[in-house]
Amino acid sequence: MTSAKTYRAGTLKEALAQVRRDLGGDAVILNTREVRRRRLFGLGPREQVEVTASDRSPAPSSLLVSAGIPVSAASDSLRSQFGDQLGQLHAIVTDLSRMGRIDHLLPDLPTALVPTYSTLLEAEVPEALCRRLVRFVAEQLEPDEVHRPEAIRAALREAVEECVQIAPPIAAVAGTRRVVALIGPTGVGKTTTVAKLAADFKLSKGLRPGLVTVDTYRIAAVEQLRTYAEIIDIPLAVANAPGDMRRAIDELGDVDLVLIDTAGRSPRDEVKIRELADFLAAAQPDEIHLVLSAVAGERSLRAAVERFSVARADRLILTKLDEADGLGGVLAVLGQANRPVSYLTTGQAVPDDIEAANRSRLARLILGHEVVG
Ligand SMILES: Nc1nc2c(ncn2[C@@H]2O[C@H](COP(=O)(O)OP(=O)(O)O)[C@@H](O)[C@H]2O)c(=O)[nH]1
Ligand SMILES: [Mg+2]
């Protein structure tokens, strides 16, 4: 006989992990709800999540039990009264139970969507956003679609696409000079991405790019970009101070695209970020792309967006999608940054591992419906 057990934890993710540890992967989630627990010493109530689960599907007769009718008595008297009609009734009850699961539980967490919810949690999507996505999915689906995995996947992709903005690729045209700066934390892949873009604009699009670096802290980083400039065979100029920026750009001569690589010691260094803002003010870029690594956790992504807000980026580049375990944190931060994504990078290879961002591709990658490569 199946019995239901109740699990409590600080987050739904932890509670579901307990269920899985205790009952295994086939556990059926019967109910989830938020509970408030009073804490000692006036610390106020703390939210907890309670999950009721059993180790296999509840029999349809459990509906009769919950209605207060002993199953055997009910079946016997019903059978003698209604005979074959009981079979039909049984089928109807089973159907109702299947449909009823949607409002059986928390209004914002239909049972049929619990697996969807936990998949999102596993992709590191923050709980509040998981709820919004699942609610969107629940609203999109017709009652009979709730049990069709393909319908759920499609609705979920649509939900994620709603959270994602896409920018067009860099708008460089032969004969005009477009100035584009890449900014972001150390090590996210700015220099590599500048090299990928420069190579692509020169080799595939036949334009004339030039590079400027404001890397004043690490000589090695200048050398890294210089090496790329030599291989791609394009000019490179170094700006040592904000006042030197215009000269560096002009030194490149007749180019269609100026790509500005930037660097700092640490994203936590506010003075350096203000200095970066001064470099950018001097360069007057047409586009500023904030580069974020998909490998970073939600917290450090949020911190990066916050710290670089002074520099007023108008687009985002997401790097290292090939190395990221889950892109849920990225999804959360896209909402916070409220900026469109211009490019995705998917590996270390210059110039191959870069692509212009695409809404449906990005949604699929975030959901793990598609892999990089
Ligand atoms: N796996 C992976 N590695 C990358 C990607 N982009 C850059 N990298 C690597 O990340 C490291 C730091 O890159 P770099 O361009 O120097 O970062 P920067 O400090 O922001 O300029 C290098 O080892 C790059 O090869 C990417 O899309 N995927
Ligand atoms: Mg660099």
PDB file of all heavy atoms in Angstrom, residues 44-69:
ATOM      1  N   GLY A  44      10.929  36.452  13.626  1.00  0.00           N
ATOM      2  CA  GLY A  44       9.915  36.512  12.574  1.00  0.00           C
ATOM      3  C   GLY A  44       9.767  35.180  11.878  1.00  0.00           C
ATOM      4  O   GLY A  44      10.574  34.272  12.066  1.00  0.00           O
ATOM      5  N   PRO A  45       8.729  35.070  11.076  1.00  0.00           N
ATOM      6  CA  PRO A  45       8.474  33.790  10.423  1.00  0.00           C
ATOM      7  C   PRO A  45       9.495  33.520   9.323  1.00  0.00           C
ATOM      8  O   PRO A  45      10.009  34.448   8.711  1.00  0.00           O
ATOM      9  CB  PRO A  45       7.083  33.974   9.826  1.00  0.00           C
ATOM     10  CG  PRO A  45       6.926  35.438   9.654  1.00  0.00           C
ATOM     11  CD  PRO A  45       7.772  36.100  10.687  1.00  0.00           C
ATOM     12  N   ARG A  46       9.780  32.255   9.121  1.00  0.00           N
ATOM     13  CA  ARG A  46      10.706  31.893   8.053  1.00  0.00           C
ATOM     14  C   ARG A  46       9.954  31.000   7.074  1.00  0.00           C
ATOM     15  O   ARG A  46       9.253  30.092   7.474  1.00  0.00           O
ATOM     16  CB  ARG A  46      11.879  31.121   8.644  1.00  0.00           C
ATOM     17  CG  ARG A  46      13.111  31.147   7.789  1.00  0.00           C
ATOM     18  CD  ARG A  46      14.259  30.554   8.576  1.00  0.00           C
ATOM     19  NE  ARG A  46      14.181  29.105   8.596  1.00  0.00           N
ATOM     20  CZ  ARG A  46      14.869  28.340   7.776  1.00  0.00           C
ATOM     21  NH1 ARG A  46      15.646  28.863   6.891  1.00  0.00           N
ATOM     22  NH2 ARG A  46      14.773  27.030   7.862  1.00  0.00           N
ATOM     23  N   GLU A  47      10.108  31.272   5.801  1.00  0.00           N
ATOM     24  CA  GLU A  47       9.421  30.472   4.793  1.00  0.00           C
ATOM     25  C   GLU A  47      10.038  29.084   4.706  1.00  0.00           C
ATOM     26  O   GLU A  47      11.249  28.931   4.744  1.00  0.00           O
ATOM     27  CB  GLU A  47       9.595  31.132   3.413  1.00  0.00           C
ATOM     28  CG  GLU A  47       9.009  32.511   3.308  1.00  0.00           C
ATOM     29  CD  GLU A  47       7.526  32.487   2.975  1.00  0.00           C
ATOM     30  OE1 GLU A  47       7.092  31.480   2.406  1.00  0.00           O
ATOM     31  OE2 GLU A  47       6.823  33.445   3.326  1.00  0.00           O
ATOM     32  N   GLN A  48       9.185  28.086   4.662  1.00  0.00           N
ATOM     33  CA  GLN A  48       9.671  26.745   4.380  1.00  0.00           C
ATOM     34  C   GLN A  48       8.779  26.148   3.304  1.00  0.00           C
ATOM     35  O   GLN A  48       7.644  26.577   3.112  1.00  0.00           O
ATOM     36  CB  GLN A  48       9.585  25.874   5.629  1.00  0.00           C
ATOM     37  CG  GLN A  48      10.762  26.070   6.565  1.00  0.00           C
ATOM     38  CD  GLN A  48      11.083  24.800   7.314  1.00  0.00           C
ATOM     39  OE1 GLN A  48      10.171  24.125   7.779  1.00  0.00           O
ATOM     40  NE2 GLN A  48      12.349  24.466   7.406  1.00  0.00           N
ATOM     41  N   VAL A  49       9.296  25.174   2.631  1.00  0.00           N
ATOM     42  CA  VAL A  49       8.494  24.511   1.618  1.00  0.00           C
ATOM     43  C   VAL A  49       8.216  23.099   2.085  1.00  0.00           C
ATOM     44  O   VAL A  49       9.109  22.421   2.587  1.00  0.00           O
ATOM     45  CB  VAL A  49       9.226  24.486   0.259  1.00  0.00           C
ATOM     46  CG1 VAL A  49       8.402  23.741  -0.770  1.00  0.00           C
ATOM     47  CG2 VAL A  49       9.490  25.900  -0.205  1.00  0.00           C
ATOM     48  N   GLU A  50       6.969  22.695   1.963  1.00  0.00           N
ATOM     49  CA  GLU A  50       6.591  21.349   2.376  1.00  0.00           C
ATOM     50  C   GLU A  50       6.167  20.571   1.135  1.00  0.00           C
ATOM     51  O   GLU A  50       5.341  21.039   0.354  1.00  0.00           O
ATOM     52  CB  GLU A  50       5.434  21.436   3.361  1.00  0.00           C
ATOM     53  CG  GLU A  50       5.043  20.098   3.941  1.00  0.00           C
ATOM     54  CD  GLU A  50       3.835  20.248   4.856  1.00  0.00           C
ATOM     55  OE1 GLU A  50       4.040  20.609   6.030  1.00  0.00           O
ATOM     56  OE2 GLU A  50       2.711  20.036   4.385  1.00  0.00           O
ATOM     57  N   VAL A  51       6.768  19.427   0.965  1.00  0.00           N
ATOM     58  CA  VAL A  51       6.425  18.582  -0.177  1.00  0.00           C
ATOM     59  C   VAL A  51       5.878  17.269   0.341  1.00  0.00           C
ATOM     60  O   VAL A  51       6.474  16.647   1.224  1.00  0.00           O
ATOM     61  CB  VAL A  51       7.664  18.304  -1.056  1.00  0.00           C
ATOM     62  CG1 VAL A  51       7.345  17.285  -2.141  1.00  0.00           C
ATOM     63  CG2 VAL A  51       8.177  19.587  -1.675  1.00  0.00           C
ATOM     64  N   THR A  52       4.713  16.873  -0.165  1.00  0.00           N
ATOM     65  CA  THR A  52       4.161  15.562   0.158  1.00  0.00           C
ATOM     66  C   THR A  52       4.367  14.671  -1.052  1.00  0.00           C
ATOM     67  O   THR A  52       4.032  15.054  -2.170  1.00  0.00           O
ATOM     68  CB  THR A  52       2.664  15.669   0.487  1.00  0.00           C
ATOM     69  OG1 THR A  52       2.501  16.703   1.445  1.00  0.00           O
ATOM     70  CG2 THR A  52       2.138  14.361   1.053  1.00  0.00           C
ATOM     71  N   ALA A  53       4.969  13.502  -0.804  1.00  0.00           N
ATOM     72  CA  ALA A  53       5.282  12.628  -1.928  1.00  0.00           C
ATOM     73  C   ALA A  53       5.021  11.181  -1.548  1.00  0.00           C
ATOM     74  O   ALA A  53       4.994  10.832  -0.367  1.00  0.00           O
ATOM     75  CB  ALA A  53       6.749  12.802  -2.312  1.00  0.00           C
ATOM     76  N   SER A  54       4.810  10.365  -2.570  1.00  0.00           N
ATOM     77  CA  SER A  54       4.703   8.930  -2.315  1.00  0.00           C
ATOM     78  C   SER A  54       5.595   8.212  -3.315  1.00  0.00           C
ATOM     79  O   SER A  54       6.060   8.808  -4.282  1.00  0.00           O
ATOM     80  CB  SER A  54       3.251   8.462  -2.440  1.00  0.00           C
ATOM     81  OG  SER A  54       2.944   8.259  -3.794  1.00  0.00           O
ATOM     82  N   ASP A  55       5.846   6.920  -3.055  1.00  0.00           N
ATOM     83  CA  ASP A  55       6.802   6.237  -3.917  1.00  0.00           C
ATOM     84  C   ASP A  55       6.184   5.620  -5.157  1.00  0.00           C
ATOM     85  O   ASP A  55       6.863   5.013  -5.947  1.00  0.00           O
ATOM     86  CB  ASP A  55       7.600   5.180  -3.126  1.00  0.00           C
ATOM     87  CG  ASP A  55       6.683   4.201  -2.444  1.00  0.00           C
ATOM     88  OD1 ASP A  55       5.445   4.356  -2.599  1.00  0.00           O
ATOM     89  OD2 ASP A  55       7.184   3.311  -1.743  1.00  0.00           O
ATOM     90  N   ARG A  56       4.877   5.727  -5.338  1.00  0.00           N
ATOM     91  CA  ARG A  56       4.318   5.428  -6.653  1.00  0.00           C
ATOM     92  C   ARG A  56       2.988   6.147  -6.857  1.00  0.00           C
ATOM     93  O   ARG A  56       2.486   6.781  -5.941  1.00  0.00           O
ATOM     94  CB  ARG A  56       4.164   3.918  -6.862  1.00  0.00           C
ATOM     95  CG  ARG A  56       3.256   3.237  -5.883  1.00  0.00           C
ATOM     96  CD  ARG A  56       3.335   1.726  -6.132  1.00  0.00           C
ATOM     97  NE  ARG A  56       3.002   0.975  -4.951  1.00  0.00           N
ATOM     98  CZ  ARG A  56       1.813   0.428  -4.742  1.00  0.00           C
ATOM     99  NH1 ARG A  56       0.859   0.560  -5.632  1.00  0.00           N
ATOM    100  NH2 ARG A  56       1.570  -0.242  -3.642  1.00  0.00           N
ATOM    101  N   SER A  57       2.447   6.041  -8.072  1.00  0.00           N
ATOM    102  CA  SER A  57       1.241   6.771  -8.414  1.00  0.00           C
ATOM    103  C   SER A  57       0.091   6.442  -7.486  1.00  0.00           C
ATOM    104  O   SER A  57      -0.132   5.282  -7.175  1.00  0.00           O
ATOM    105  CB  SER A  57       0.801   6.387  -9.824  1.00  0.00           C
ATOM    106  OG  SER A  57       1.206   7.369 -10.696  1.00  0.00           O
ATOM    107  N   PRO A  58      -0.653   7.438  -7.029  1.00  0.00           N
ATOM    108  CA  PRO A  58      -1.808   7.136  -6.202  1.00  0.00           C
ATOM    109  C   PRO A  58      -2.873   6.426  -7.032  1.00  0.00           C
ATOM    110  O   PRO A  58      -3.085   6.775  -8.191  1.00  0.00           O
ATOM    111  CB  PRO A  58      -2.291   8.518  -5.770  1.00  0.00           C
ATOM    112  CG  PRO A  58      -1.775   9.465  -6.786  1.00  0.00           C
ATOM    113  CD  PRO A  58      -0.520   8.863  -7.343  1.00  0.00           C
ATOM    114  N   ALA A  59      -3.517   5.411  -6.450  1.00  0.00           N
ATOM    115  CA  ALA A  59      -4.595   4.736  -7.153  1.00  0.00           C
ATOM    116  C   ALA A  59      -5.762   5.695  -7.264  1.00  0.00           C
ATOM    117  O   ALA A  59      -5.942   6.552  -6.414  1.00  0.00           O
ATOM    118  CB  ALA A  59      -5.017   3.494  -6.371  1.00  0.00           C
ATOM    119  N   PRO A  60      -6.565   5.586  -8.331  1.00  0.00           N
ATOM    120  CA  PRO A  60      -7.706   6.478  -8.479  1.00  0.00           C
ATOM    121  C   PRO A  60      -8.621   6.416  -7.260  1.00  0.00           C
ATOM    122  O   PRO A  60      -9.288   7.378  -6.929  1.00  0.00           O
ATOM    123  CB  PRO A  60      -8.431   5.937  -9.709  1.00  0.00           C
ATOM    124  CG  PRO A  60      -7.405   5.148 -10.455  1.00  0.00           C
ATOM    125  CD  PRO A  60      -6.436   4.649  -9.441  1.00  0.00           C
ATOM    126  N   SER A  61      -8.647   5.240  -6.584  1.00  0.00           N
ATOM    127  CA  SER A  61      -9.531   5.102  -5.434  1.00  0.00           C
ATOM    128  C   SER A  61      -9.167   6.069  -4.314  1.00  0.00           C
ATOM    129  O   SER A  61      -9.978   6.337  -3.437  1.00  0.00           O
ATOM    130  CB  SER A  61      -9.484   3.679  -4.905  1.00  0.00           C
ATOM    131  OG  SER A  61      -8.159   3.389  -4.519  1.00  0.00           O
ATOM    132  N   SER A  62      -7.947   6.629  -4.360  1.00  0.00           N
ATOM    133  CA  SER A  62      -7.585   7.553  -3.295  1.00  0.00           C
ATOM    134  C   SER A  62      -8.512   8.766  -3.284  1.00  0.00           C
ATOM    135  O   SER A  62      -8.662   9.425  -2.280  1.00  0.00           O
ATOM    136  CB  SER A  62      -6.129   7.994  -3.433  1.00  0.00           C
ATOM    137  OG  SER A  62      -5.981   8.665  -4.652  1.00  0.00           O
ATOM    138  N   LEU A  63      -9.118   9.045  -4.445  1.00  0.00           N
ATOM    139  CA  LEU A  63     -10.087  10.142  -4.479  1.00  0.00           C
ATOM    140  C   LEU A  63     -11.273   9.840  -3.578  1.00  0.00           C
ATOM    141  O   LEU A  63     -11.801  10.708  -2.904  1.00  0.00           O
ATOM    142  CB  LEU A  63     -10.608  10.353  -5.908  1.00  0.00           C
ATOM    143  CG  LEU A  63      -9.716  11.123  -6.855  1.00  0.00           C
ATOM    144  CD1 LEU A  63     -10.460  11.321  -8.169  1.00  0.00           C
ATOM    145  CD2 LEU A  63      -9.361  12.468  -6.256  1.00  0.00           C
ATOM    146  N   LEU A  64     -11.713   8.552  -3.613  1.00  0.00           N
ATOM    147  CA  LEU A  64     -12.843   8.161  -2.772  1.00  0.00           C
ATOM    148  C   LEU A  64     -12.449   8.245  -1.308  1.00  0.00           C
ATOM    149  O   LEU A  64     -13.210   8.684  -0.468  1.00  0.00           O
ATOM    150  CB  LEU A  64     -13.311   6.747  -3.124  1.00  0.00           C
ATOM    151  CG  LEU A  64     -13.830   6.575  -4.559  1.00  0.00           C
ATOM    152  CD1 LEU A  64     -14.130   5.123  -4.858  1.00  0.00           C
ATOM    153  CD2 LEU A  64     -15.066   7.439  -4.773  1.00  0.00           C
ATOM    154  N   VAL A  65     -11.199   7.836  -1.031  1.00  0.00           N
ATOM    155  CA  VAL A  65     -10.728   7.909   0.353  1.00  0.00           C
ATOM    156  C   VAL A  65     -10.761   9.354   0.838  1.00  0.00           C
ATOM    157  O   VAL A  65     -11.261   9.667   1.911  1.00  0.00           O
ATOM    158  CB  VAL A  65      -9.296   7.351   0.479  1.00  0.00           C
ATOM    159  CG1 VAL A  65      -8.781   7.552   1.893  1.00  0.00           C
ATOM    160  CG2 VAL A  65      -9.277   5.887   0.112  1.00  0.00           C
ATOM    161  N   SER A  66     -10.260  10.256  -0.042  1.00  0.00           N
ATOM    162  CA  SER A  66     -10.211  11.644   0.417  1.00  0.00           C
ATOM    163  C   SER A  66     -11.618  12.218   0.528  1.00  0.00           C
ATOM    164  O   SER A  66     -11.832  13.195   1.207  1.00  0.00           O
ATOM    165  CB  SER A  66      -9.329  12.489  -0.501  1.00  0.00           C
ATOM    166  OG  SER A  66      -9.893  12.511  -1.780  1.00  0.00           O
ATOM    167  N   ALA A  67     -12.588  11.598  -0.154  1.00  0.00           N
ATOM    168  CA  ALA A  67     -13.976  12.054  -0.012  1.00  0.00           C
ATOM    169  C   ALA A  67     -14.640  11.419   1.203  1.00  0.00           C
ATOM    170  O   ALA A  67     -15.828  11.612   1.447  1.00  0.00           O
ATOM    171  CB  ALA A  67     -14.765  11.722  -1.273  1.00  0.00           C
ATOM    172  N   GLY A  68     -13.896  10.624   1.959  1.00  0.00           N
ATOM    173  CA  GLY A  68     -14.426  10.070   3.203  1.00  0.00           C
ATOM    174  C   GLY A  68     -15.196   8.767   3.025  1.00  0.00           C
ATOM    175  O   GLY A  68     -15.870   8.307   3.937  1.00  0.00           O
ATOM    176  N   ILE A  69     -15.115   8.148   1.850  1.00  0.00           N
ATOM    177  CA  ILE A  69     -15.836   6.897   1.618  1.00  0.00           C
ATOM    178  C   ILE A  69     -14.851   5.735   1.685  1.00  0.00           C
ATOM    179  O   ILE A  69     -13.873   5.736   0.937  1.00  0.00           O
ATOM    180  CB  ILE A  69     -16.489   6.894   0.213  1.00  0.00           C
ATOM    181  CG1 ILE A  69     -17.353   8.147   0.053  1.00  0.00           C
ATOM    182  CG2 ILE A  69     -17.278   5.626  -0.035  1.00  0.00           C
ATOM    183  CD1 ILE A  69     -17.809   8.381  -1.373  1.00  0.00           C
TER     184      ILE A  69
END
